[in-house]
Amino acid sequence: MCGIAAYIGKKKCRKYVLEGLQRLEYRGYDSAGFVCIDSQHKHLSFSKAKGRLSVLKDQLNGSPHDGFIGMGHTRWATHGVANEVNAHPHFDCKKSIAVIHNGIIERYDEIRKKLKAAGHEFYSDTDTETIAHLFESLLAEHHDLKQAIKALVSQLEGAYSLVFLMEDYPEQLIVVRHRSPVVVGIGEGEMFVASDPLVFSDITQKVLFLPDDSFALVKEDSISLYDFSNNPLKIESREVDARYIHTGKSGFEHYMLKEIYEQKLAIDKTIRFYNSLNGEGLEDSFWDQLGLTLGQVKNLKTINLVCAGTSWHAARIAQFFFETIAKIQTKVYLASEFRYMPFFPDENSVYIMVSQSGETADTLEALRLVKSKSNIPTIALTNTPSSTMVRESDGFLLMQAGPEIAVASTKAFSCQLASLYYLACKLAVEKGLMSEEQMRISQEDLLVATEILETTIETYKDEIIKHLAPRYSSFDRFIFLGRHISYPFALESALKLKEVSYIFAQCYPSGELKHGPIALIDNKTPVILFSVLDDVIYDKVVANAQEVKARLGHLVVFAFDGQEELINLADYAFIIPKVKPLLVPLAMIGLMQFFVYQIAKELGLPIDKPRNLAKSVTVE
Ligand code: G6P
């Protein structure tokens, strides 16, 4: 969500901080700020700007403000509109304490009122400014930095990662973590602080992820780490995964396009990785990583999937995998809803948190809720090995998609599908529903589908760029329809269009058309219909297409080879080679993403960083 980048060392910090913030742009933001202890005047010097990072950079261009310790922030507004005043850093009354913050402080208003009554002057509408003033008053009360931090965290509710830069402590950054991730990069005589190791991973791969409820005093050559009772903690640094080293766009115009084309490789790597855990002839460590015993696997009666956004769509599709292949009843929950519903701890069940980032606040809180109320095994299916969900769940399944930078998820979604398909097959093998040989064939089916994912883009590329994107980018609204396994896929497709093109898109299960949405059919609202490869359901899909055409609707179909009836009804048909019926979404995915991408490109939109969106939603 918000981005944090800070530096302390022997070099001038501004370059590193701004470059770091640039790499965090994918998280989405609306304003940015930079602050350092000016190397000449030894006081805090800052600059803030509304809008993209380039505005802040232009503002700083030519200015002498730089120092050997500094930090920057990209803000995604939660409290107070996006403007310069609300941008971070925020300060105490004397402007000698600067703070940047990722997260949300709950009930900050009560603290703010008390501080105001005590004479503190506030300038912004943010929760963050309260932290600076509260810290100012606690430092005055305790005359001791660590005591003041202890008192501060005892008063703050919510989720936060904070970095303080203080004139009185010019040789250290103060980093605090409560329910919001933050990482220190350990260099040679220099340290970095960031919300994502991508900020510095080309300079140092040695990192310390702050444990939850801890704070660190970070100097250029040392780190002291404490829990919230001020007990010293051991520094457990580790090497950041090589996959997380910043590689840029590799010649692609946008990260989204790069990531669309990376899907085949990402799935291949992911499946190879899972197979490597099966270790030929060795003890099977696949289930160990998931934190499950073979007994638990064989007796599994219910799978619960909890997630948000695109990950929820992947889980809705995976429900068909688990129920069809492994014959295990599967329930799919939106994390933001799950948390406030009654909790029924089913016996012989498992909770799988599906999350690209492993940090989404609602999903994380859902995980914590399950853990606090039951002994049901919890598993994180994520793309981020260092994530909080991996640390807090009983087991994990790690996709090998590599960093996904574009806000709109593409390769993480397809890797989630491949991972959950693989898991369904593994479960079927353990339950005696599938032989090892059939499992091997299933993996081949999966790879065939990913091959098609890529080749279909090539087949339709020119047509999309030259004709289809210019034509369809002129419509104001779309209806998306799908049925059975194609319905959650249609949901994801509509979301993708909304995210990157800002075009309104409504999605329905096509069987529901006649129960209301059919009133919307006209020739100004293209209907995008996704087919299936199940004969019985296909007939129903054709009937739904006829309903659209009978009302003179404009119909675009994603159909499969040989589905002539459907193809003939369409105003435009993408025709895709046949795959296994459960793999229909994977086969259609590349084409759908490319189509949507080109529409957004046609409209000249900031595809990788759509307005208002954040990649990693670490606030509730
Ligand atoms: C944000 C992102 C989406 C993502 C969702 C869940 O909304 O913009 O692309 O699907 O969060 O994120 P997660 O990391 O938990 O999969």
Side-chain angles (χ1 to χ4, degrees):
M1 215 117 222
C2 298
I4 285 176
Y7 175 89
I8 178 168
K10 293 188 175 51
K11 300 180 197 132
K12 290 286 177 74
C13 65
R14 194 165 93 193
K15 170 177 174 281
Y16 292 103
V17 170
L18 294 181
E19 167 68 22
L21 291 180
Q22 189 87 55
R23 293 179 189 183
L24 293 175
E25 273 198 301
Y26 72 94
R27 296 163 76 99
Y29 64 91
D30 43 53
S31 51
F34 166 74
V35 62
C36 66
I37 296 193
D38 192 296
S39 51
Q40 287 185 344
H41 308 289
K42 311 290 176 213
H43 59 69
L44 288 178
S45 145
F46 72 96
S47 192
K48 304 196 213 184
K50 181 184 166 186
R52 303 257 168 216
L53 196 59
S54 52
V55 184
L56 178 70
K57 279 185 170 170
D58 288 349
Q59 207 162 288
L60 282 164
N61 210 356
S63 112
H65 296 313
D66 209 343
F68 301 103
I69 179 168
M71 61 190 192
H73 184 268
T74 45
R75 173 173 187 251
W76 191 84
T78 55
H79 298 77
V81 296
N83 61 21
E84 203 180 308
V85 176
N86 288 334
H88 299 207
H90 290 283
F91 298 91
D92 64 325
C93 296
K94 294 196 291 282
K95 291 242 173 351
S96 69
I97 302 172
V99 63
I100 55 176
H101 167 213
N102 179 20
I104 282 185
I105 304 299
E106 286 162 12
R107 288 198 273 279
Y108 71 100
D109 220 29
E110 293 162 23
I111 306 175
R112 185 177 159 118
K113 270 189 203 134
K114 277 190 209 152
L115 289 164
K116 269 187 164 178
H120 288 260
E121 246 184 275
F122 283 77
Y123 298 93
S124 77
D125 304 317
T126 65
D127 50 346
T128 307
E129 194 182 4
T130 312
I131 303 171
H133 290 278
L134 181 59
F135 199 35
E136 177 184 23
S137 93
L138 293 169
L139 275 162
E141 187 183 329
H142 293 276
H143 304 290
D144 177 87
L145 182 63
K146 287 193 313 200
Q147 286 303 328
I149 297 172
K150 185 178 169 189
L152 176 77
V153 296
S154 72
Q155 294 196 37
L156 295 181
E157 286 177 41
Y160 49 85
S161 43
L162 307 169
V163 189
F164 290 97
L165 179 56
M166 299 164 70
E167 277 182 9
D168 290 347
Y169 297 88
E171 76 299 346
Q172 63 188 19
L173 292 161
I174 297 146
V175 188
V176 188
R177 176 194 169 153
H178 174 63
R179 300 193 147 187
S180 174
V182 62
V183 58
V184 181
I186 305 168
E188 296 286 327
E190 60 185 1
M191 300 278 180
F192 303 82
V193 179
S195 30
D196 186 321
L198 270 182
V199 163
F200 51 73
S201 56
D202 53 339
I203 302 173
T204 178
Q205 286 88 55
K206 197 171 168 194
V207 296
L208 166 71
F209 286 94
L210 254 69
D212 207 17
D213 292 344
S214 71
F215 68 93
L217 307 179
V218 179
K219 299 187 174 172
E220 62 177 29
D221 48 12
S222 69
I223 305 172
S224 315
L225 185 67
Y226 303 90
D227 67 16
F228 279 178
S229 306
N230 280 358
N231 300 309
L233 295 173
K234 206 169 150 236
I235 309 280
E236 293 188 3
S237 66
R238 56 162 110 160
E239 291 288 310
V240 75
D241 195 315
R243 296 183 301 125
Y244 280 81
I245 297 175
H246 183 72
T247 54
K249 288 186 206 152
S250 316
F252 286 93
E253 194 174 345
H254 293 99
Y255 279 108
M256 182 175 175
L257 189 61
K258 175 181 178 236
E259 288 159 6
I260 288 173
Y261 278 107
E262 280 175 349
Q263 294 182 100
K264 188 177 153 215
L265 186 64
I267 291 175
D268 189 44
K269 270 193 185 168
T270 299
I271 299 303
R272 278 173 201 273
F273 173 68
Y274 296 156
N275 280 337
S276 75
L277 296 174
N278 294 329
E280 297 254 316
L282 300 166
E283 186 114 349
D284 193 333
S285 67
F286 182 83
W287 298 119
D288 280 354
Q289 281 222 344
L290 265 72
L292 297 175
T293 64
L294 260 188
Q296 283 171 318
V297 172
K298 287 187 201 297
N299 290 325
L300 208 53
K301 297 271 177 309
T302 313
I303 294 174
N304 300 287
L305 301 167
V306 188
C307 21
T310 287
S311 299
W312 182 69
H313 296 150
R316 296 279 311 261
I317 293 172
Q319 181 176 8
F320 291 92
F321 301 160
F322 290 122
E323 295 189 342
T324 314
I325 302 172
K327 310 268 179 267
I328 300 175
Q329 188 194 23
T330 302
K331 299 175 189 169
V332 184
Y333 298 96
L334 277 169
S336 53
E337 295 291 326
F338 175 83
R339 295 177 56 191
Y340 306 103
M341 286 158 70
F343 177 67
F344 299 103
D346 292 340
E347 263 184 41
N348 300 324
S349 70
V350 66
Y351 275 86
I352 306 179
M353 309 292 153
V354 185
S355 173
Q356 188 282 129
S357 61
E359 301 293 350
T360 300
D362 282 315
T363 315
L364 186 58
E365 289 305 324
L367 165 68
R368 288 172 176 161
L369 184 145
V370 175
K371 287 190 73 87
S372 70
K373 293 203 171 173
S374 74
N375 290 320
I376 300 173
T378 53
I379 298 166
L381 167 58
T382 174
N383 194 30
T384 319
S386 53
S387 62
T388 313
M389 276 183 222
V390 167
R391 283 197 296 279
E392 295 196 11
S393 56
D394 300 317
F396 47 84
L397 188 56
L398 293 176
M399 314 188 307
Q400 305 293 308
E404 190 180 63
I405 306 292
V407 169
S409 182
T410 52
K411 64 175 178 173
F413 176 66
S414 52
C415 268
Q416 285 167 340
L417 291 183
S419 300
L420 292 161
Y421 186 80
Y422 185 96
L423 181 58
C425 294
K426 270 293 269 182
L427 286 166
V429 171
E430 298 300 352
K431 291 184 75 188
L433 298 168
M434 193 186 257
S435 67
E436 292 285 356
E437 176 58 8
Q438 285 166 320
M439 167 97 194
R440 201 187 52 72
I441 294 169
S442 298
Q443 287 179 46
E444 276 170 19
D445 295 338
L446 196 56
L447 296 180
V448 167
T450 60
E451 188 72 37
I452 291 171
L453 173 165
E454 200 168 286
T455 52
T456 45
I457 303 179
E458 290 315 303
T459 310
Y460 285 96
K461 191 174 172 181
D462 288 347
E463 177 73 1
I464 291 177
I465 295 173
K466 284 196 198 121
H467 303 117
L468 301 177
R471 180 176 184 195
Y472 288 101
S473 59
S474 67
F475 288 93
D476 296 334
R477 52 182 191 265
F478 281 77
I479 293 176
F480 282 73
L481 297 177
R483 201 162 180 136
H484 193 255
I485 200 161
S486 288
Y487 168 53
F489 180 74
L491 281 172
E492 169 60 13
S493 309
L495 178 69
K496 215 76 320 173
L497 183 72
K498 285 182 269 206
E499 283 177 314
V500 296
S501 76
Y502 313 153
I503 296 176
F504 183 82
Q506 180 72 293
C507 179
Y508 290 100
S510 59
E512 282 296 294
L513 197 57
K514 56 181 90 58
H515 299 295
I518 202 159
L520 299 172
I521 302 292
D522 62 20
N523 60 8
K524 294 190 204 68
T525 315
V527 174
I528 313 275
L529 175 72
F530 297 98
S531 187
V532 292
L533 276 167
D534 172 295
D535 288 344
V536 177
I537 303 165
Y538 169 68
D539 289 344
K540 313 279 176 214
V541 171
V542 173
N544 298 141
Q546 274 156 347
E547 288 161 9
V548 173
K549 285 316 294 175
R551 270 104 196 147
L552 305 180
H554 181 99
L555 184 67
V556 176
V557 297
F558 283 66
F560 289 89
D561 268 341
Q563 297 189 327
E564 299 308 326
E565 241 183 309
L566 187 59
I567 293 165
N568 291 336
L569 281 169
D571 294 272
Y572 189 83
F574 292 106
I575 305 169
I576 300 162
K578 282 187 174 167
V579 287
K580 290 280 161 206
L582 285 175
L583 295 175
V584 155
L586 264 179
M588 297 193 290
I589 204 167
L591 197 51
M592 176 280 282
Q593 294 162 339
F594 188 82
F595 179 46
V596 164
Y597 166 83
Q598 289 298 342
I599 289 178
K601 194 170 162 214
E602 191 67 32
L603 295 169
L605 294 169
I607 297 180
D608 286 335
K609 293 161 271 173
R611 70 179 178 210
N612 305 338
L613 297 187
K615 179 88 190 147
S616 179
V617 181
T618 49
V619 295
E620 294 161 37

mmCIF file with all atom_site columns, all heavy atoms in Angstrom, residues 359-376:
data_model
loop_
_atom_site.group_PDB
_atom_site.id
_atom_site.type_symbol
_atom_site.label_atom_id
_atom_site.label_alt_id
_atom_site.label_comp_id
_atom_site.label_asym_id
_atom_site.label_entity_id
_atom_site.label_seq_id
_atom_site.pdbx_PDB_ins_code
_atom_site.Cartn_x
_atom_site.Cartn_y
_atom_site.Cartn_z
_atom_site.occupancy
_atom_site.B_iso_or_equiv
_atom_site.pdbx_formal_charge
_atom_site.auth_seq_id
_atom_site.auth_comp_id
_atom_site.auth_asym_id
_atom_site.auth_atom_id
_atom_site.pdbx_PDB_model_num
ATOM 1   N N   . GLU A 1 359 ? 0.376   -10.698 2.408  1.00 0.00 ? 359 GLU A N   1
ATOM 2   C CA  . GLU A 1 359 ? 0.304   -9.586  3.370  1.00 0.00 ? 359 GLU A CA  1
ATOM 3   C C   . GLU A 1 359 ? -1.075  -8.954  3.441  1.00 0.00 ? 359 GLU A C   1
ATOM 4   O O   . GLU A 1 359 ? -1.263  -8.057  4.270  1.00 0.00 ? 359 GLU A O   1
ATOM 5   C CB  . GLU A 1 359 ? 1.310   -8.488  2.998  1.00 0.00 ? 359 GLU A CB  1
ATOM 6   C CG  . GLU A 1 359 ? 2.772   -8.912  2.953  1.00 0.00 ? 359 GLU A CG  1
ATOM 7   C CD  . GLU A 1 359 ? 3.339   -9.276  4.323  1.00 0.00 ? 359 GLU A CD  1
ATOM 8   O OE1 . GLU A 1 359 ? 2.661   -9.032  5.346  1.00 0.00 ? 359 GLU A OE1 1
ATOM 9   O OE2 . GLU A 1 359 ? 4.444   -9.826  4.355  1.00 0.00 ? 359 GLU A OE2 1
ATOM 10  N N   . THR A 1 360 ? -1.996  -9.305  2.567  1.00 0.00 ? 360 THR A N   1
ATOM 11  C CA  . THR A 1 360 ? -3.292  -8.626  2.528  1.00 0.00 ? 360 THR A CA  1
ATOM 12  C C   . THR A 1 360 ? -3.928  -8.643  3.922  1.00 0.00 ? 360 THR A C   1
ATOM 13  O O   . THR A 1 360 ? -4.102  -9.705  4.526  1.00 0.00 ? 360 THR A O   1
ATOM 14  C CB  . THR A 1 360 ? -4.198  -9.302  1.488  1.00 0.00 ? 360 THR A CB  1
ATOM 15  O OG1 . THR A 1 360 ? -3.548  -9.191  0.232  1.00 0.00 ? 360 THR A OG1 1
ATOM 16  C CG2 . THR A 1 360 ? -5.568  -8.668  1.416  1.00 0.00 ? 360 THR A CG2 1
ATOM 17  N N   . ALA A 1 361 ? -4.268  -7.450  4.410  1.00 0.00 ? 361 ALA A N   1
ATOM 18  C CA  . ALA A 1 361 ? -4.668  -7.316  5.813  1.00 0.00 ? 361 ALA A CA  1
ATOM 19  C C   . ALA A 1 361 ? -5.847  -8.221  6.173  1.00 0.00 ? 361 ALA A C   1
ATOM 20  O O   . ALA A 1 361 ? -5.814  -8.920  7.198  1.00 0.00 ? 361 ALA A O   1
ATOM 21  C CB  . ALA A 1 361 ? -5.005  -5.861  6.104  1.00 0.00 ? 361 ALA A CB  1
ATOM 22  N N   . ASP A 1 362 ? -6.888  -8.234  5.344  1.00 0.00 ? 362 ASP A N   1
ATOM 23  C CA  . ASP A 1 362 ? -8.069  -9.028  5.694  1.00 0.00 ? 362 ASP A CA  1
ATOM 24  C C   . ASP A 1 362 ? -7.755  -10.527 5.703  1.00 0.00 ? 362 ASP A C   1
ATOM 25  O O   . ASP A 1 362 ? -8.233  -11.265 6.559  1.00 0.00 ? 362 ASP A O   1
ATOM 26  C CB  . ASP A 1 362 ? -9.209  -8.738  4.696  1.00 0.00 ? 362 ASP A CB  1
ATOM 27  C CG  . ASP A 1 362 ? -9.882  -7.411  5.007  1.00 0.00 ? 362 ASP A CG  1
ATOM 28  O OD1 . ASP A 1 362 ? -10.152 -7.156  6.188  1.00 0.00 ? 362 ASP A OD1 1
ATOM 29  O OD2 . ASP A 1 362 ? -10.122 -6.630  4.070  1.00 0.00 ? 362 ASP A OD2 1
ATOM 30  N N   . THR A 1 363 ? -6.965  -10.956 4.739  1.00 0.00 ? 363 THR A N   1
ATOM 31  C CA  . THR A 1 363 ? -6.637  -12.388 4.664  1.00 0.00 ? 363 THR A CA  1
ATOM 32  C C   . THR A 1 363 ? -5.767  -12.788 5.861  1.00 0.00 ? 363 THR A C   1
ATOM 33  O O   . THR A 1 363 ? -5.949  -13.853 6.462  1.00 0.00 ? 363 THR A O   1
ATOM 34  C CB  . THR A 1 363 ? -5.935  -12.699 3.320  1.00 0.00 ? 363 THR A CB  1
ATOM 35  O OG1 . THR A 1 363 ? -6.653  -12.051 2.270  1.00 0.00 ? 363 THR A OG1 1
ATOM 36  C CG2 . THR A 1 363 ? -5.880  -14.187 3.062  1.00 0.00 ? 363 THR A CG2 1
ATOM 37  N N   . LEU A 1 364 ? -4.851  -11.890 6.190  1.00 0.00 ? 364 LEU A N   1
ATOM 38  C CA  . LEU A 1 364 ? -3.979  -12.150 7.338  1.00 0.00 ? 364 LEU A CA  1
ATOM 39  C C   . LEU A 1 364 ? -4.796  -12.222 8.632  1.00 0.00 ? 364 LEU A C   1
ATOM 40  O O   . LEU A 1 364 ? -4.593  -13.114 9.471  1.00 0.00 ? 364 LEU A O   1
ATOM 41  C CB  . LEU A 1 364 ? -2.929  -11.028 7.412  1.00 0.00 ? 364 LEU A CB  1
ATOM 42  C CG  . LEU A 1 364 ? -1.832  -11.163 8.441  1.00 0.00 ? 364 LEU A CG  1
ATOM 43  C CD1 . LEU A 1 364 ? -1.048  -12.455 8.242  1.00 0.00 ? 364 LEU A CD1 1
ATOM 44  C CD2 . LEU A 1 364 ? -0.875  -9.969  8.332  1.00 0.00 ? 364 LEU A CD2 1
ATOM 45  N N   . GLU A 1 365 ? -5.731  -11.311 8.778  1.00 0.00 ? 365 GLU A N   1
ATOM 46  C CA  . GLU A 1 365 ? -6.553  -11.317 9.990  1.00 0.00 ? 365 GLU A CA  1
ATOM 47  C C   . GLU A 1 365 ? -7.456  -12.559 10.015 1.00 0.00 ? 365 GLU A C   1
ATOM 48  O O   . GLU A 1 365 ? -7.733  -13.109 11.080 1.00 0.00 ? 365 GLU A O   1
ATOM 49  C CB  . GLU A 1 365 ? -7.386  -10.040 10.099 1.00 0.00 ? 365 GLU A CB  1
ATOM 50  C CG  . GLU A 1 365 ? -6.555  -8.803  10.417 1.00 0.00 ? 365 GLU A CG  1
ATOM 51  C CD  . GLU A 1 365 ? -5.692  -8.936  11.668 1.00 0.00 ? 365 GLU A CD  1
ATOM 52  O OE1 . GLU A 1 365 ? -6.128  -9.573  12.657 1.00 0.00 ? 365 GLU A OE1 1
ATOM 53  O OE2 . GLU A 1 365 ? -4.554  -8.423  11.661 1.00 0.00 ? 365 GLU A OE2 1
ATOM 54  N N   . ALA A 1 366 ? -7.904  -13.003 8.850  1.00 0.00 ? 366 ALA A N   1
ATOM 55  C CA  . ALA A 1 366 ? -8.713  -14.227 8.788  1.00 0.00 ? 366 ALA A CA  1
ATOM 56  C C   . ALA A 1 366 ? -7.870  -15.422 9.252  1.00 0.00 ? 366 ALA A C   1
ATOM 57  O O   . ALA A 1 366 ? -8.335  -16.287 10.001 1.00 0.00 ? 366 ALA A O   1
ATOM 58  C CB  . ALA A 1 366 ? -9.232  -14.451 7.370  1.00 0.00 ? 366 ALA A CB  1
ATOM 59  N N   . LEU A 1 367 ? -6.611  -15.442 8.827  1.00 0.00 ? 367 LEU A N   1
ATOM 60  C CA  . LEU A 1 367 ? -5.693  -16.502 9.253  1.00 0.00 ? 367 LEU A CA  1
ATOM 61  C C   . LEU A 1 367 ? -5.549  -16.478 10.777 1.00 0.00 ? 367 LEU A C   1
ATOM 62  O O   . LEU A 1 367 ? -5.649  -17.512 11.458 1.00 0.00 ? 367 LEU A O   1
ATOM 63  C CB  . LEU A 1 367 ? -4.330  -16.291 8.573  1.00 0.00 ? 367 LEU A CB  1
ATOM 64  C CG  . LEU A 1 367 ? -3.137  -17.062 9.119  1.00 0.00 ? 367 LEU A CG  1
ATOM 65  C CD1 . LEU A 1 367 ? -3.293  -18.559 8.859  1.00 0.00 ? 367 LEU A CD1 1
ATOM 66  C CD2 . LEU A 1 367 ? -1.827  -16.584 8.482  1.00 0.00 ? 367 LEU A CD2 1
ATOM 67  N N   . ARG A 1 368 ? -5.362  -15.289 11.308 1.00 0.00 ? 368 ARG A N   1
ATOM 68  C CA  . ARG A 1 368 ? -5.184  -15.156 12.766 1.00 0.00 ? 368 ARG A CA  1
ATOM 69  C C   . ARG A 1 368 ? -6.447  -15.584 13.499 1.00 0.00 ? 368 ARG A C   1
ATOM 70  O O   . ARG A 1 368 ? -6.385  -16.205 14.563 1.00 0.00 ? 368 ARG A O   1
ATOM 71  C CB  . ARG A 1 368 ? -4.812  -13.715 13.117 1.00 0.00 ? 368 ARG A CB  1
ATOM 72  C CG  . ARG A 1 368 ? -3.389  -13.389 12.682 1.00 0.00 ? 368 ARG A CG  1
ATOM 73  C CD  . ARG A 1 368 ? -3.040  -11.925 12.821 1.00 0.00 ? 368 ARG A CD  1
ATOM 74  N NE  . ARG A 1 368 ? -1.634  -11.701 12.468 1.00 0.00 ? 368 ARG A NE  1
ATOM 75  C CZ  . ARG A 1 368 ? -1.131  -10.533 12.142 1.00 0.00 ? 368 ARG A CZ  1
ATOM 76  N NH1 . ARG A 1 368 ? -1.887  -9.458  12.095 1.00 0.00 ? 368 ARG A NH1 1
ATOM 77  N NH2 . ARG A 1 368 ? 0.157   -10.417 11.840 1.00 0.00 ? 368 ARG A NH2 1
ATOM 78  N N   . LEU A 1 369 ? -7.591  -15.278 12.898 1.00 0.00 ? 369 LEU A N   1
ATOM 79  C CA  . LEU A 1 369 ? -8.857  -15.660 13.528 1.00 0.00 ? 369 LEU A CA  1
ATOM 80  C C   . LEU A 1 369 ? -8.979  -17.194 13.597 1.00 0.00 ? 369 LEU A C   1
ATOM 81  O O   . LEU A 1 369 ? -9.312  -17.751 14.643 1.00 0.00 ? 369 LEU A O   1
ATOM 82  C CB  . LEU A 1 369 ? -10.018 -15.067 12.723 1.00 0.00 ? 369 LEU A CB  1
ATOM 83  C CG  . LEU A 1 369 ? -11.417 -15.263 13.253 1.00 0.00 ? 369 LEU A CG  1
ATOM 84  C CD1 . LEU A 1 369 ? -12.242 -14.016 12.925 1.00 0.00 ? 369 LEU A CD1 1
ATOM 85  C CD2 . LEU A 1 369 ? -12.134 -16.465 12.676 1.00 0.00 ? 369 LEU A CD2 1
ATOM 86  N N   . VAL A 1 370 ? -8.687  -17.859 12.481 1.00 0.00 ? 370 VAL A N   1
ATOM 87  C CA  . VAL A 1 370 ? -8.777  -19.334 12.462 1.00 0.00 ? 370 VAL A CA  1
ATOM 88  C C   . VAL A 1 370 ? -7.826  -19.908 13.507 1.00 0.00 ? 370 VAL A C   1
ATOM 89  O O   . VAL A 1 370 ? -8.186  -20.804 14.274 1.00 0.00 ? 370 VAL A O   1
ATOM 90  C CB  . VAL A 1 370 ? -8.439  -19.900 11.056 1.00 0.00 ? 370 VAL A CB  1
ATOM 91  C CG1 . VAL A 1 370 ? -8.403  -21.415 11.079 1.00 0.00 ? 370 VAL A CG1 1
ATOM 92  C CG2 . VAL A 1 370 ? -9.429  -19.398 10.016 1.00 0.00 ? 370 VAL A CG2 1
ATOM 93  N N   . LYS A 1 371 ? -6.632  -19.358 13.564 1.00 0.00 ? 371 LYS A N   1
ATOM 94  C CA  . LYS A 1 371 ? -5.640  -19.879 14.510 1.00 0.00 ? 371 LYS A CA  1
ATOM 95  C C   . LYS A 1 371 ? -6.053  -19.635 15.960 1.00 0.00 ? 371 LYS A C   1
ATOM 96  O O   . LYS A 1 371 ? -5.800  -20.462 16.834 1.00 0.00 ? 371 LYS A O   1
ATOM 97  C CB  . LYS A 1 371 ? -4.265  -19.256 14.240 1.00 0.00 ? 371 LYS A CB  1
ATOM 98  C CG  . LYS A 1 371 ? -3.626  -19.806 12.983 1.00 0.00 ? 371 LYS A CG  1
ATOM 99  C CD  . LYS A 1 371 ? -2.187  -19.397 12.832 1.00 0.00 ? 371 LYS A CD  1
ATOM 100 C CE  . LYS A 1 371 ? -1.281  -20.120 13.792 1.00 0.00 ? 371 LYS A CE  1
ATOM 101 N NZ  . LYS A 1 371 ? -0.802  -21.399 13.309 1.00 0.00 ? 371 LYS A NZ  1
ATOM 102 N N   . SER A 1 372 ? -6.708  -18.493 16.182 1.00 0.00 ? 372 SER A N   1
ATOM 103 C CA  . SER A 1 372 ? -7.074  -18.197 17.572 1.00 0.00 ? 372 SER A CA  1
ATOM 104 C C   . SER A 1 372 ? -8.300  -19.009 18.020 1.00 0.00 ? 372 SER A C   1
ATOM 105 O O   . SER A 1 372 ? -8.493  -19.235 19.201 1.00 0.00 ? 372 SER A O   1
ATOM 106 C CB  . SER A 1 372 ? -7.342  -16.710 17.743 1.00 0.00 ? 372 SER A CB  1
ATOM 107 O OG  . SER A 1 372 ? -8.537  -16.387 17.068 1.00 0.00 ? 372 SER A OG  1
ATOM 108 N N   . LYS A 1 373 ? -9.120  -19.452 17.073 1.00 0.00 ? 373 LYS A N   1
ATOM 109 C CA  . LYS A 1 373 ? -10.355 -20.125 17.468 1.00 0.00 ? 373 LYS A CA  1
ATOM 110 C C   . LYS A 1 373 ? -10.345 -21.625 17.260 1.00 0.00 ? 373 LYS A C   1
ATOM 111 O O   . LYS A 1 373 ? -11.338 -22.302 17.551 1.00 0.00 ? 373 LYS A O   1
ATOM 112 C CB  . LYS A 1 373 ? -11.521 -19.528 16.675 1.00 0.00 ? 373 LYS A CB  1
ATOM 113 C CG  . LYS A 1 373 ? -11.824 -18.094 17.016 1.00 0.00 ? 373 LYS A CG  1
ATOM 114 C CD  . LYS A 1 373 ? -13.235 -17.742 16.675 1.00 0.00 ? 373 LYS A CD  1
ATOM 115 C CE  . LYS A 1 373 ? -13.577 -16.375 17.219 1.00 0.00 ? 373 LYS A CE  1
ATOM 116 N NZ  . LYS A 1 373 ? -14.854 -15.897 16.796 1.00 0.00 ? 373 LYS A NZ  1
ATOM 117 N N   . SER A 1 374 ? -9.287  -22.172 16.660 1.00 0.00 ? 374 SER A N   1
ATOM 118 C CA  . SER A 1 374 ? -9.303  -23.617 16.375 1.00 0.00 ? 374 SER A CA  1
ATOM 119 C C   . SER A 1 374 ? -7.889  -24.147 16.221 1.00 0.00 ? 374 SER A C   1
ATOM 120 O O   . SER A 1 374 ? -6.931  -23.375 16.173 1.00 0.00 ? 374 SER A O   1
ATOM 121 C CB  . SER A 1 374 ? -10.074 -23.863 15.073 1.00 0.00 ? 374 SER A CB  1
ATOM 122 O OG  . SER A 1 374 ? -9.273  -23.463 13.973 1.00 0.00 ? 374 SER A OG  1
ATOM 123 N N   . ASN A 1 375 ? -7.823  -25.470 16.106 1.00 0.00 ? 375 ASN A N   1
ATOM 124 C CA  . ASN A 1 375 ? -6.524  -26.091 15.810 1.00 0.00 ? 375 ASN A CA  1
ATOM 125 C C   . ASN A 1 375 ? -6.489  -26.576 14.364 1.00 0.00 ? 375 ASN A C   1
ATOM 126 O O   . ASN A 1 375 ? -5.685  -27.427 14.007 1.00 0.00 ? 375 ASN A O   1
ATOM 127 C CB  . ASN A 1 375 ? -6.286  -27.286 16.740 1.00 0.00 ? 375 ASN A CB  1
ATOM 128 C CG  . ASN A 1 375 ? -6.059  -26.808 18.140 1.00 0.00 ? 375 ASN A CG  1
ATOM 129 O OD1 . ASN A 1 375 ? -5.382  -25.794 18.347 1.00 0.00 ? 375 ASN A OD1 1
ATOM 130 N ND2 . ASN A 1 375 ? -6.643  -27.515 19.108 1.00 0.00 ? 375 ASN A ND2 1
ATOM 131 N N   . ILE A 1 376 ? -7.395  -26.074 13.565 1.00 0.00 ? 376 ILE A N   1
ATOM 132 C CA  . ILE A 1 376 ? -7.463  -26.519 12.165 1.00 0.00 ? 376 ILE A CA  1
ATOM 133 C C   . ILE A 1 376 ? -6.189  -26.065 11.445 1.00 0.00 ? 376 ILE A C   1
ATOM 134 O O   . ILE A 1 376 ? -5.767  -24.913 11.596 1.00 0.00 ? 376 ILE A O   1
ATOM 135 C CB  . ILE A 1 376 ? -8.708  -25.912 11.473 1.00 0.00 ? 376 ILE A CB  1
ATOM 136 C CG1 . ILE A 1 376 ? -9.972  -26.368 12.205 1.00 0.00 ? 376 ILE A CG1 1
ATOM 137 C CG2 . ILE A 1 376 ? -8.767  -26.308 10.002 1.00 0.00 ? 376 ILE A CG2 1
ATOM 138 C CD1 . ILE A 1 376 ? -11.243 -25.713 11.722 1.00 0.00 ? 376 ILE A CD1 1
#
